[in-house]
Amino acid sequence: MPAGTGGSAGGPRRPPLDLSIYLVTDTGQCGALGVPETVRRAVAAGVTLVQLRDPDCSDAEFVALGRSVRDALAGSGVPLIVNDRVHLVAAIGAQGAHVGQGDLPVRRARELLGATALLGLSVNSTAELAAAADVDPDRTVIDYLGLGIYRPTATKPDHAPAAGPAHIADLAAGSPWPTCAIGGVKASDATPLRAAGVDGLAVVSAICGRPDIEAATRELVAAWAAAGGLGRPAALDVRKESP
């Protein structure tokens, strides 16, 4: 899947995006180690993108946590994505946001974020994929899709029904954007998911709460590399090229 060059000549550009090993944080699972330290260790071991997710805390608590994670990422080159709370991206100093089907509409999210931030969208069905394409026909709004649900997960109890690799493959084949698989993803899933055509693995419990964060991350990195997923070249806007 080729990376697009993105944007008009001389126009605003977005941060490099590599979906290979995409860590989505869970404050509870991180436990006593904490989210910032979990993120720091995971990125040092090969995580390529981080999403801050904590649906239970207040906006003020979320901003404080986000700034700590931002500081943990300083100098790494790994972007920080904010789950759902698009209005807090600037206050945190994050590089973008990720929204679900029940969150802020992607066009409104893009308006709030501006042209240079990253924006991801969760898609769980062909109907949702078609709707995203209708909303963003020129691929200037959305940067990537999170495709699910791969398998049942306790991280998000209200998730869509799990559908497995064949469903992920159908969605990936129809997506004009780069994609990652979400929902209970483990290192052992790297080969079937790479074969399904996704550009990366979005993980929570495969890293958060593990006894050795670095070893768990290296296992994911090695599994993805062995499956042929060596990472997307560092492009400044990763929208796919038109056929």
Side-chain angles (χ1 to χ4, degrees):
M1 297 179 187
T5 56
S8 59
R13 316 263 309 170
R14 293 173 193 165
L17 177 65
D18 183 347
L19 293 169
S20 299
I21 308 297
Y22 185 178
L23 172 60
V24 182
T25 68
D26 183 294
T27 302
Q29 289 187 39
C30 287
L33 184 63
V35 173
E37 182 61 16
T38 296
V39 166
R40 188 191 68 77
R41 296 185 187 188
V43 167
V47 156
T48 58
L49 185 64
V50 174
Q51 180 185 141
L52 179 65
R53 183 178 184 272
D54 189 333
D56 298 321
C57 66
S58 68
D59 278 3
E61 292 168 334
F62 194 78
V63 169
L65 179 60
R67 289 173 174 171
S68 294
V69 172
R70 175 202 65 196
D71 292 346
L73 288 170
S76 70
V78 172
L80 175 60
I81 303 296
V82 168
N83 177 269
D84 183 14
R85 307 192 205 197
V86 178
H87 62 293
L88 299 181
V89 167
I92 290 170
Q95 284 71 53
H98 184 98
V99 295
Q101 293 295 315
D103 299 330
L104 196 68
V106 289
R107 279 208 169 273
R108 179 57 181 150
R110 174 55 68 198
E111 290 172 1
L112 291 175
L113 289 170
T116 60
L118 296 166
L119 179 59
L121 174 68
S122 295
V123 164
N124 306 303
S125 69
T126 54
E128 291 174 357
L129 179 58
D134 287 343
V135 168
D136 188 18
D138 55 358
R139 301 195 296 280
T140 58
V141 175
I142 300 166
D143 292 295
Y144 73 91
L145 300 181
L147 307 180
I149 295 292
Y150 185 64
R151 67 162 55 88
T153 172
T155 302
K156 190 175 181 181
D158 60 344
H159 63 67
H167 176 66
I168 299 295
D170 286 344
L171 294 176
S175 173
W177 301 278
T179 62
C180 59
I182 58 176
V185 174
K186 305 174 183 177
S188 58
D189 299 316
T191 295
L193 285 172
R194 183 64 179 175
V198 299
D199 299 290
L201 311 175
V203 301
V204 182
S205 60
I207 292 179
C208 295
R210 296 291 295 273
D212 188 329
I213 300 298
E214 293 95 331
T217 303
R218 286 194 294 268
E219 182 183 10
L220 287 159
V221 172
W224 186 243
L230 299 179
R232 177 175 296 279
L236 290 176
D237 185 324
V238 298
R239 289 169 291 167
K240 293 180 186 173
E241 293 172 348
S242 300

